[in-house]
Amino acid sequence: MEHILWSMEFSNIDEVKKEISLIGSTLAGVNLMAPKGVLRCIKVKELSTKAANILKQELLAKGGDCATSWGSLDLTAPTTDVLCFATEKVWRQVIPKLKMQPFGLKSLAEEIEEVLKNLNGRPKYELDCRGRKITLGERTLIMGILNVTPDSFSDGGQYNDIEAAVKRARQMVAEGADIIDVGGESTRPGAEYVPAEEELRRVLPVVEALVREINVPISVDTYKAEVAEKALEAGAHIINDVWGLQKDPRMAEVAARYGAPVVVMHNKTEAEYDDLMAEVIAFLKESIKIGVKAGIPREKIIIDPGIGFGKTLEHNLLLMKRLNELNSLGQPILLGTSRKSMIGKTLDLPVNERVEGTAATVTLGIAKGVDIVRVHDVKEMVRVAKMTDAMVR
């Protein structure tokens, strides 16, 4: 007799609990066994050799394991990267023991504890965008792109006058946009730098008109604190900073002072990496730290991996494949892939023929935990998001 059997994967404790309950276990059994069903592989960069060896011993004693460099075993290397393998249950047993150990293991245990909490899902909550509210975690939100620039790669020059910009924003809201993102400087590779005065001349009248005419939050795509401050004075609701609060030292203070949520994006001048995911996560952690230190509540910080910014095609594809690793940070995630060169190079298609490629990236992003997608083709991506939400949320 053949049995019916297959492999299952669980991304969080709640998923395991549902499956165990279906088998008919008691509530006590469900709670006891669920932590055994979720494998959590955690990588730690540059841990001291002494700490790494204790971590390995503690994990092995409880049924987990930890890969380290040879140099950490023969004590010739002062530090090592480590890759840990353990179920939630094993981590729950190991963390209290690590907290009693020297060599920085107490703080490492607290950080691992935070990552484990984050991986079990972000709670649904209402984000106050200076009086206009959006709900995160319920469905995927759509941010419609409105570039008031002469040279943006996709829609440059189309919405430079106020009437055209407002008309386009109205259309996107009617099609389902939850946020309108206004940009006054193209950030495509090779684009010319735009002084703050010129960026304000382009953005400010449009923001003022949209705040009056449109009832969804208005985001301003800028890395300059001067532009952000004037836009917020004009009534903008969100700041979308492509340099993650790390280009202009005043940006975090300005956003905090006006109570504005911020999108912090990973960026880099040169597309060179030793460990792509480690660098992206380290950059975003620093952005979060800067924002919190300035007084921005953590729940008002949204992270963006920065697809297409300081990355090659191979970097972008790898980042898409491993997007779910950003869930370790516990912040809402925004994804901006719309019509980008990653899609053009993969499909060998011009900018105006990339809607299907964009749909593929939006679908994958949502499946991996993205909360907001920034897109040009609002009507189409609203449908893609709705369908994907129905399958994965």
Side-chain angles (χ1 to χ4, degrees):
M1 171 188 167
E2 287 190 355
H3 294 84
I4 302 171
L5 71 166
W6 67 96
S7 170
M8 297 184 73
E9 291 182 7
F10 302 103
S11 60
N12 59 56
I13 293 285
D14 285 342
E15 289 179 7
V16 188
K17 285 183 175 179
K18 285 179 186 172
E19 283 298 325
I20 298 176
S21 297
L22 288 175
I23 288 174
S25 297
T26 62
L27 180 59
V30 170
N31 290 329
L32 185 67
M33 288 184 280
K36 299 177 183 177
V38 180
L39 179 65
R40 297 300 191 198
C41 301
I42 294 178
K43 187 172 182 178
V44 185
K45 296 288 289 184
E46 297 181 357
L47 191 62
S48 77
T49 293
K50 291 175 182 175
N53 285 327
I54 294 174
L55 176 61
K56 187 174 182 69
Q57 289 168 17
E58 295 292 354
L59 283 166
L60 283 171
K62 298 299 180 186
D65 205 344
C66 170
T68 64
S69 69
W70 177 256
S72 70
L73 298 178
D74 67 6
L75 303 178
T76 57
T79 64
T80 177
D81 293 350
V82 298
L83 183 57
C84 307
F85 312 96
T87 63
E88 284 256 356
K89 181 185 177 187
V90 169
W91 279 120
R92 289 181 185 185
Q93 293 171 333
V94 167
I95 284 171
K97 300 195 75 176
L98 292 179
K99 286 182 177 178
M100 295 187 287
Q101 298 283 2
F103 310 125
L105 283 166
K106 181 176 184 296
S107 63
L108 176 65
E110 290 168 351
E111 289 182 73
I112 292 172
E113 201 167 35
E114 179 71 18
V115 167
L116 294 177
K117 186 188 82 172
N118 293 338
L119 291 177
N120 276 312
R122 295 183 289 279
K124 181 178 76 173
Y125 69 95
E126 203 169 62
L127 178 64
D128 184 355
C129 307
R130 305 187 70 213
R132 294 190 184 176
K133 295 180 180 176
I134 53 177
T135 302
L136 290 164
E138 188 173 64
R139 62 175 175 83
T140 303
L141 301 180
I142 307 295
M143 174 185 274
I145 300 170
L146 183 64
N147 286 318
V148 288
T149 60
D151 58 343
S152 287
F153 79 96
S154 181
D155 56 356
Q158 292 185 42
Y159 311 113
N160 286 358
D161 70 83
I162 297 174
E163 190 177 335
V166 171
K167 183 179 178 184
R168 175 59 182 153
R170 279 193 180 128
Q171 181 189 359
M172 288 194 285
V173 172
E175 291 174 350
D178 300 286
I179 305 164
I180 299 296
D181 190 46
V182 181
E185 177 180 356
S186 173
T187 48
R188 65 177 170 78
E192 282 190 19
Y193 170 78
V194 176
E197 299 76 23
E198 173 60 17
E199 192 176 340
L200 283 167
R201 188 192 67 77
R202 297 175 183 178
V203 166
L204 220 49
V206 174
V207 169
E208 288 168 348
L210 292 181
V211 168
R212 286 195 307 270
E213 303 285 337
I214 303 295
N215 62 3
V216 302
I218 307 302
S219 166
V220 174
D221 180 357
T222 185
Y223 58 87
K224 302 184 188 82
E226 182 181 348
V227 175
E229 186 162 20
K230 296 290 184 188
L232 291 168
E233 282 176 7
H237 306 95
I238 301 171
I239 296 301
N240 181 8
D241 183 353
V242 297
W243 279 99
L245 307 177
Q246 298 187 40
K247 188 82 167 179
D248 189 325
R250 287 186 57 238
M251 182 63 98
E253 179 273 323
V254 167
R257 181 152 42 88
Y258 283 86
V262 292
V263 179
V264 295
M265 195 192 81
H266 171 264
N267 209 334
K268 191 175 183 182
T269 307
E270 300 294 331
E272 295 176 0
Y273 298 87
D274 290 327
D275 185 329
L276 174 68
M277 293 309 299
E279 287 196 39
V280 170
I281 286 173
F283 181 99
L284 293 173
K285 281 187 80 167
E286 180 63 18
S287 293
I288 295 165
K289 190 175 169 185
I290 291 169
V292 170
K293 187 178 179 185
I296 303 172
R298 188 158 178 145
E299 65 270 19
K300 287 194 169 187
I301 301 176
I302 298 160
I303 59 173
D304 177 347
I307 297 293
F309 289 81
K311 301 169 187 76
T312 64
L313 172 62
E314 290 72 26
H315 293 145
N316 289 319
L317 294 174
L318 180 61
L319 194 45
M320 287 298 302
K321 182 178 180 179
R322 296 176 61 177
L323 266 180
N324 53 313
E325 294 175 25
L326 298 184
N327 291 317
S328 302
L329 295 173
Q331 300 300 124
I333 302 171
L334 181 147
L335 181 67
T337 56
S338 186
R339 301 181 185 176
K340 283 190 174 171
S341 64
M342 173 182 70
I343 298 164
K345 289 174 182 174
T346 302
L347 301 179
D348 192 21
L349 288 172
V351 166
N352 61 353
E353 292 185 37
R354 297 177 185 172
V355 66
E356 298 91 344
T358 301
T361 61
V362 166
T363 301
L364 182 63
I366 295 170
K368 288 183 174 291
V370 162
D371 301 277
I372 305 171
V373 290
R374 181 177 180 273
V375 298
H376 299 86
D377 304 291
V378 171
K379 181 182 73 175
E380 292 83 356
M381 294 313 124
V382 165
R383 293 173 181 174
V384 169
K386 190 173 181 181
M387 188 67 227
T388 310
D389 282 348
M391 294 184 286
V392 305
R393 284 191 187 272

